[in-house]
Amino acid sequence: MKSILTSALLASTAFSSVVPRAGQKVDYDGFKALRVTLPEGSENLKTQIEDLVAHVLNPGKKELDVVVAPKDIAALKALVIESKVINEDVGAALKEEGEFKAYAVPSESWFTAYHPYADHLQFLRDLQAGYTSNSAIFTLGNSVQGRTLTGIQIWGAGGRGSRPAVIIHGNVHAREWITSMTTEYFAWQLLTKYASDANVKAIVDKFDFYITPIVNPDGFVYTQTNDRLWRKNRQTVSGNTCVGRDINRNWPYKWEVTGGASTNPCSETYKGVAPGDAPENRALSAQVNTLRDSRGIRLYLDIHSYGQYILWPYGYNCNLRPENNAQHQTLAQRAQAAIRAVSGTAYTIGPSCSTLYATTGSSTDYTDVTGNATYSYTYELRDTGTYGFTLPANQIQPTVRETWAGVLSMFKDA
Ligand SMILES: [Zn+2]
């Protein structure tokens, strides 16, 4: 782990092109993804494993999915009770993600390949340009490296800013590429179907949508230039060589609670030095606060991968439930059924801490309590670990379509 990250780190300071360059990126050929089972009470062991592996893919769980170099596999197996190979060759899986395609004006074909960051911005601008009377580009603030957090606002018959807000964030974790494609598909559907689909018209007339497909642009670019499996932002830590805060452990609500994030700057879930000390997080919480104080927030969606979950508060305490827990559950059950009806894809639903793992300083706890959102959900999209974050390009359309069915159901019910 250390040697890989150090070399990636050195390379990262030299350039910031969105086009991956040969020889600069971490090479995962021959690396395996393993699902390992740890003995009870194994916090020290977790740290040892973090030091040994290239990445922990699902930090927080008891069964860890990890990516490990061939030379370290034996050492890893010696540490754990049980291990199962979930991907024989992570490098080969990366190649199945497909090549970037040249950018074309927005069309359904956008959703057949992954894209460089600059093209994502162009997609939003071009989409907005086709629907100037009921959409606008907005910005929330800047990332550590000065990239602008860019989104699209969509409204209906009531006019701009006249309805309760639906806030949607994508790609807060840099390696979760399917999530920006999916949130863009929501915007695409809302705008292109407004005139022709009565269901879509009804929901666009009911809400103001604020969709930001990539809220961690620095991390996203870094996954394209240096390390495909990078998760955090690209913020340095004083006195430490490790880089990055987990923006979804940095929200200023219950940030100080222990057990749901890491205080180690080298960890995948490093929470930062103080609540809200990641500039990306400040931009996001300011958006939540502003919309809370204007028309109010009806629904907040934070789109992640992977695991196939729909989760709601709380993350910081496994015994607490929101006041409207029953309604959260009803909406999630209907979304789960809508997804299954499209493709058969099975989602697990429930309150996040008790269903998946504890998280502190996370988005949905903040939007529920501080943002006073009526509904707050985290989606974890496809798959359940086979490809993990590097879902092949031929799964983009099936994923965005089934997820659209799920969120459309929520938009109707909310
Ligand atoms: Zn995530």
Side-chain angles (χ1 to χ4, degrees), residues 328-410:
H328 268 96
Q329 177 158 339
T330 300
L331 264 65
Q333 280 169 337
R334 290 179 185 166
Q336 176 191 40
I339 292 168
R340 193 191 302 267
V342 170
S343 56
T345 301
Y347 266 66
T348 304
I349 67 169
S352 64
C353 182
S354 57
T355 305
L356 186 57
Y357 45 62
T359 56
T360 51
S362 67
S363 61
T364 47
D365 286 3
Y366 184 89
T367 55
D368 181 83
V369 179
T370 310
N372 199 26
T374 311
Y375 298 104
S376 297
Y377 294 96
T378 299
Y379 274 67
E380 297 280 356
L381 305 181
R382 289 192 192 190
D383 54 14
T384 56
T386 305
Y387 290 100
F389 303 115
T390 58
L391 207 58
N394 66 14
Q395 287 199 43
I396 299 172
Q397 276 184 312
T399 303
V400 301
R401 287 171 180 166
E402 73 190 11
T403 312
W404 167 248
V407 298
L408 186 60
S409 151
M410 283 189 167

Side-chain angles (χ1 to χ4, degrees), residues 46-64:
K46 264 189 187 166
T47 310
Q48 273 179 276
I49 289 173
E50 276 180 24
D51 288 346
L52 183 66
V53 303
H55 282 285
V56 177
L57 301 179
N58 57 348
K61 287 202 90 170
K62 287 211 180 81
E63 279 191 330
L64 292 183

Side-chain angles (χ1 to χ4, degrees), residues 38-152:
L38 310 185
E40 286 300 313
S42 48
E43 281 311 307
N44 283 343
L45 188 56
K46 264 189 187 166
T47 310
Q48 273 179 276
I49 289 173
E50 276 180 24
D51 288 346
L52 183 66
V53 303
H55 282 285
V56 177
L57 301 179
N58 57 348
K61 287 202 90 170
K62 287 211 180 81
E63 279 191 330
L64 292 183
D65 294 355
V66 298
V67 170
V68 60
K71 68 176 176 52
D72 296 325
I73 290 172
L76 175 67
K77 284 186 171 171
L79 288 174
V80 300
I81 296 177
E82 200 184 323
S83 69
K84 175 172 91 174
V85 175
I86 53 176
N87 195 303
E88 282 289 352
D89 188 338
V90 172
L94 287 177
K95 284 166 194 124
E96 283 185 61
E97 278 195 303
E99 299 293 315
F100 288 164
K101 282 190 185 158
Y103 179 71
V105 171
S107 76
E108 194 85 21
S109 72
W110 173 258
F111 303 99
T112 61
Y114 295 103
H115 306 278
Y117 179 62
D119 286 1
H120 281 278
L121 295 180
Q122 194 60 44
F123 172 86
L124 279 189
R125 283 190 217 108
D126 287 349
L127 179 61
Q128 193 278 328
Y131 301 90
T132 52
S133 64
N134 66 329
S135 69
I137 298 294
F138 64 83
T139 60
L140 297 177
N142 288 335
S143 67
V144 171
Q145 295 172 342
R147 294 183 177 89
T148 306
L149 275 60
T150 305
I152 186 165

Side-chain angles (χ1 to χ4, degrees), residues 2 47 50-51 232 240 242 244 261-271:
K2 294 301 182 233
T47 310
E50 276 180 24
D51 288 346
K232 300 183 282 183
N240 196 294
C242 286
S262 178
T263 55
N264 173 2
C266 302
S267 164
E268 305 263 13
T269 58
Y270 177 53
K271 59 161 54 178

Side-chain angles (χ1 to χ4, degrees), residues 172-173 176 231 248 303-306 380 389:
V172 64
H173 291 141
E176 299 168 7
R231 167 182 168 100
N248 198 32
I303 310 296
H304 292 248
S305 68
Y306 58 91
E380 297 280 356
F389 303 115

Side-chain angles (χ1 to χ4, degrees), residues 245 249-253 255 271 274-279 281-282 285:
R245 283 159 172 69
R249 299 293 184 277
N250 192 243
W251 289 79
Y253 179 73
W255 176 90
K271 59 161 54 178
D277 71 350
N281 183 274
R282 278 200 295 278
S285 60

